[in-house]
Amino acid sequence: RLTTKLWMELFVASRASRMKISNILIATCLLYPIFGTSAEAAIVTFNFISTSGNGNDLDGLASGSTSASDAGITLTLDAVANVAGGSGTFNRNGTSGSSLDFGINAAGAGDETDAIDSGNGIESMVFTVNASVPLSDLRIQSVDFDRFTNGGGDAVRIALNGSPGATFNSDDATNDTSGLINLDQALSAGDTFSFEYAAGSAGFGLEFITFSATAVPEPSSLAVLGLLACGAGIRARERKFRKLASC
């Protein structure tokens, strides 16, 4: 028969082991969001020219909001139509095919009503992006303009958070037909970016803005249940050794 002293020594040694296991479980809980399986990026595209797209949400407004979703992530753009020295509203024009355009209708005569131009003052579209869930990564991947083709002399100034921005001309477009400009610019929720007329004859319309967005990973339910099961086992083992130590 083991002596009471020996049982107590065994109990203390076992308790130290249990403390080590507990520390490991706590560290696992803390580090899982960092080293756990990363989520795939959602591709969220805003379509401003479709008859049922985002342009309809803003059509006729000086400011408004529009949203788009993919893979459980919803991005919302708060948009403002700016006209230097004047005023204007967003305008989605046309019903099908090549006649679909989205621009700014500046007050007064002489404006290209479905384009970003300078007929009645330099026009710009300003957007603030927000997300429905916390994000670990958010990027504006590309923007697509209509009537923004190689050799046409068109140019747009793209700025982030009020910075001077960078000017892209039609020769920077990767697609001669659609006017696609690849940006791959990192953003954060709450950031503001803008598209401002810089050069061109009749201006150009906005067609698409594409983002990639990755949600902050969360611990899986199975991982949490597994940790709870381990904790319950440790508690049961502790009660057993206390009972033996009291004999």
Side-chain angles (χ1 to χ4, degrees):
R1 180 183 176 86
L2 295 175
T3 64
T4 301
K5 180 179 180 181
L6 181 56
W7 278 118
M8 291 300 296
E9 289 176 352
L10 289 173
F11 176 73
V12 171
S14 175
R15 187 172 185 274
S17 297
R18 292 195 302 275
M19 290 298 294
K20 291 180 180 179
I21 295 174
S22 297
N23 290 337
I24 292 173
L25 291 177
I26 292 172
T28 301
C29 290
L30 293 175
L31 295 176
Y32 185 89
I34 300 174
F35 297 104
T37 302
S38 59
E40 292 185 1
I43 303 300
V44 183
T45 299
F46 287 79
N47 182 338
F48 292 92
I49 58 174
S50 170
T51 54
S52 59
N54 302 101
N56 280 350
D57 297 336
L58 302 173
D59 190 29
L61 301 176
S63 62
S65 297
T66 186
S67 299
S69 303
D70 181 61
I73 296 177
T74 298
L75 299 183
T76 299
L77 294 179
D78 297 325
V80 178
N82 282 338
V83 181
S87 61
T89 58
F90 291 109
N91 181 35
R92 195 197 70 78
N93 182 44
T95 57
S96 64
S98 60
S99 63
L100 290 171
D101 293 296
F102 183 76
I104 295 177
N105 183 7
D111 180 60
E112 190 73 24
T113 61
D114 56 3
I116 304 173
D117 67 313
S118 61
N120 286 347
I122 294 176
E123 298 172 354
S124 61
M125 295 181 178
V126 182
F127 299 95
T128 301
V129 59
N130 287 289
S132 60
V133 296
L135 301 177
S136 62
D137 185 69
L138 174 63
R139 310 185 79 83
I140 178 170
Q141 295 289 357
S142 63
V143 58
D144 201 331
F145 295 106
D146 179 42
R147 292 172 285 167
F148 195 85
T149 54
N150 291 87
D154 297 309
V156 59
R157 182 173 294 106
I158 301 177
L160 175 64
N161 291 327
S163 68
T167 299
F168 298 83
N169 61 43
S170 52
D171 292 333
D172 293 316
T174 59
N175 186 310
D176 290 354
T177 302
S178 68
L180 177 68
I181 297 177
N182 290 313
L183 297 173
D184 193 25
Q185 172 65 54
L187 299 172
S188 298
D191 278 352
T192 296
F193 60 93
S194 62
F195 306 134
E196 180 182 275
Y197 171 89
S201 55
F204 41 87
L206 175 63
E207 293 189 320
F208 304 97
I209 306 175
T210 300
F211 296 87
S212 64
T214 305
V216 174
E218 298 179 0
S220 69
S221 299
L222 289 177
V224 174
L225 290 175
L227 293 176
L228 289 175
C230 289
I234 291 172
R235 296 294 293 275
R237 184 179 176 86
E238 185 176 359
R239 286 194 297 269
K240 178 180 179 181
F241 273 98
R242 283 180 176 174
K243 183 176 180 180
L244 289 173
S246 63
C247 294

